Amino acid sequence: MNILLTGGLGFIGSHTATVLAAEGHEVVIIDNLCNSQRQTLDSLESITGKELPFYEGDVRDAPLLKEILQKHHIECVIHFAGLKSVAESGTDPLKYFDNNVGGSIVLIEAMQATNVKKLIFSSSATVYGEPQYLPYDEDHPLAPMNVYGRTKLQVEEILQDLSKSDLDWSIVCLRYFNPIGAHESGLIGELPQGIPNNLMPYICQVVSGKLPHLNVFGDDYDTKDGTGERDYIHVMDLADGHAAALEFVDKHKGWEAVNLGTGIAYSVYDLVSAFEKSSNQTIPKVVKERRIGDLPIYYAKADKALVMLGWKAKRDLQSMCDSSWKYQEQLLKLAK
Ligand code: NAD
Ligand code: UFG
């Protein structure tokens, strides 16, 4: 299929591009590089052995989107492009609604105008909010606790309404849990700008000597070791999940939301231990106050993905840490 990846040079988009290209799909990328680098395109081309058409542009640019959709005979769009900092979404909500919701509306209108009606949307487990029960299944009430999560839920709702109004649409919203890890080549991975907000990229910077220690946000939760527990999922498993969703949207119409997680929760200390094993280094840590807005524990019920998409996560926590470490080592070599 001819597939447009919006935000395709970002963390999840770039890894998905490798899987789709390996499966023989024609991958076209649009990214405004607000949270990614052009060099990722070179890495993608060396991994895939293919030249991937790339547009440096914004999903809010309707004429550009229409031009790309038509020129490349796009059949399906995977919409990764979005801003993802929970903290920044609280301090600059309009930026988030404009980019994540406004950007999605412009994209959907461009797709409608060019008769491209297959869409996979990057949603998030954050749409569920405070757990009423665990694991979260797709029927769990939706009550995001931050602006970022509300932008994701709004787009999901817009897409659901759209699919009811026009039965030709085929839409899957993938609710990602906590993606970490990197491509097995070590050529691409997660490269946040500035000081990372999230656990794995923060650990990577501690191990690389850029930050002195890990701040552990709370060790007094009602969890197995007192630290927060999350459903970490290898980004290559997530990428495979997109390939499975692509097959699904090609054959079915309507709207679906599907969790992409492993169904297993690991603590901050589990991740630290696994990363220490991968890197053969000790990670200094300092216990701090709980981070505002953090939940103690959540994880996915991943049954729908297996039944509907035939997809299941295969890689374990050690392989997530090993691949992240391999990517870090590559970055350290390049910096020398
Ligand atoms: P990322 O920031 O690495 O990738 C997003 C890409 O989109 C970046 O390359 C950025 O430059 C681009 N972009 C942003 N706004 C754009 C715009 N208006 N026009 C064109 N390009 C734009 O993030 P990621 O981790 O790869 O996440 C991809 C998607 O998955 C996002 O929508 C994110 O909200 C969602 N998601 C991520 C996580 C996570 O923990 N990483 C979890 C759940 C959901
Ligand atoms: N944590 C630390 N120290 C850090 C960073 C995180 O102890 O420096 C802890 C947190 O308190 C939490 C766990 O590590 O217990 C995971 O935190 P992350 O920031 O890595 O991930 P979150 O679960 O908070 O949120 C992430 C994304 C959201 C997304 C959500 C669900 O940041 O955008 O997963 O997909 F919505």
Side-chain angles (χ1 to χ4, degrees), residues 128-335:
Y128 295 120
E130 187 91 50
Q132 308 298 311
Y133 55 84
L134 283 173
Y136 289 132
D137 58 27
E138 290 81 356
D139 297 325
H140 185 283
L142 302 173
M145 293 157 60
N146 53 62
V147 172
Y148 165 69
R150 284 191 279 281
T151 68
K152 291 291 171 190
L153 181 54
Q154 287 185 6
V155 176
E156 281 201 8
E157 288 172 344
I158 290 167
L159 292 173
Q160 195 170 17
D161 285 338
L162 178 70
S163 78
K164 284 180 193 154
S165 74
D166 177 350
L167 301 181
D168 271 348
W169 278 88
S170 177
I171 299 168
V172 174
C173 296
L174 296 176
R175 296 178 179 157
Y176 311 150
F177 281 67
N178 286 53
I180 59 170
H183 189 264
E184 43 274 8
S185 64
L187 291 176
I188 55 170
E190 187 172 15
L191 193 56
Q193 288 167 1
I195 296 180
N197 294 310
N198 302 117
L199 182 60
M200 180 58 113
Y202 202 101
I203 288 178
C204 288
Q205 298 218 353
V206 173
V207 175
S208 313
K210 290 184 193 141
L211 292 167
H213 58 258
L214 172 69
N215 299 308
V216 176
F217 297 139
D219 67 351
D220 56 354
Y221 284 111
D222 185 15
T223 55
K224 63 178 175 188
D225 60 22
T227 66
E229 289 184 36
R230 294 290 183 273
D231 185 338
Y232 296 100
I233 174 167
H234 197 302
V235 67
M236 292 308 293
D237 274 331
L238 204 62
D240 290 341
H242 289 77
L246 191 65
E247 272 182 45
F248 183 85
V249 293
D250 197 29
K251 295 195 191 93
H252 303 83
K253 292 193 195 289
W255 179 97
E256 296 284 352
V258 185
N259 287 340
L260 291 187
T262 64
I264 305 168
Y266 287 106
S267 72
V268 173
Y269 289 157
D270 286 335
L271 195 67
V272 169
S273 304
F275 206 96
E276 287 183 334
K277 200 167 158 202
S278 302
S279 62
N280 202 21
Q281 290 189 44
T282 303
I283 299 169
K285 39 190 194 301
V286 176
V287 176
K288 294 279 173 69
E289 292 289 291
R290 294 178 178 192
R291 188 170 63 178
I292 293 166
D294 268 358
L295 291 164
I297 175 168
Y298 61 83
Y299 55 102
K301 188 163 171 67
D303 299 20
K304 185 171 175 184
L306 182 59
V307 172
M308 202 183 99
L309 307 177
W311 171 91
K312 192 176 185 304
K314 296 191 215 99
R315 297 157 177 95
D316 65 10
L317 188 69
Q318 199 58 56
S319 132
M320 300 179 213
C321 292
D322 288 350
S323 60
S324 285
W325 173 235
K326 185 168 181 185
Y327 177 59
Q328 273 321 295
E329 282 185 301
Q330 201 89 7
L331 290 177
L332 288 170
K333 264 189 231 154
L334 287 175

Side-chain angles (χ1 to χ4, degrees), residues 11-12 31-32 34-36 58-59 80 84 99 148 152:
F11 174 43
I12 303 168
D31 198 304
N32 67 3
C34 73
N35 198 35
S36 49
D58 198 293
V59 290
F80 298 101
K84 61 170 182 176
N99 199 76
Y148 165 69
K152 291 291 171 190

Side-chain angles (χ1 to χ4, degrees), residues 94-147:
L94 290 182
K95 182 174 169 187
Y96 275 66
F97 285 112
D98 178 36
N99 199 76
N100 292 5
V101 183
S104 298
I105 293 174
V106 173
L107 170 68
I108 299 158
E109 281 175 345
M111 290 176 69
Q112 201 157 35
T114 52
N115 206 29
V116 180
K117 293 187 174 174
K118 295 181 178 45
L119 175 65
I120 297 169
F121 172 61
S122 293
S123 189
S124 168
T126 198
V127 296
Y128 295 120
E130 187 91 50
Q132 308 298 311
Y133 55 84
L134 283 173
Y136 289 132
D137 58 27
E138 290 81 356
D139 297 325
H140 185 283
L142 302 173
M145 293 157 60
N146 53 62
V147 172

Side-chain angles (χ1 to χ4, degrees), residues 4-15 17 28-41 44 52-61 64-65 68 78-83 99 193:
L4 176 63
L5 307 190
T6 73
L9 292 190
F11 174 43
I12 303 168
S14 58
H15 289 79
V28 178
I29 294 174
I30 177 172
D31 198 304
N32 67 3
L33 304 181
C34 73
N35 198 35
S36 49
Q37 276 94 27
R38 220 197 164 88
Q39 298 93 281
T40 301
L41 184 65
L44 280 181
L52 306 179
F54 171 65
Y55 293 83
E56 181 176 344
D58 198 293
V59 290
R60 289 162 294 185
D61 181 346
L64 175 63
L65 280 179
I68 298 170
I78 310 186
H79 182 31
F80 298 101
L83 301 174
N99 199 76
Q193 288 167 1

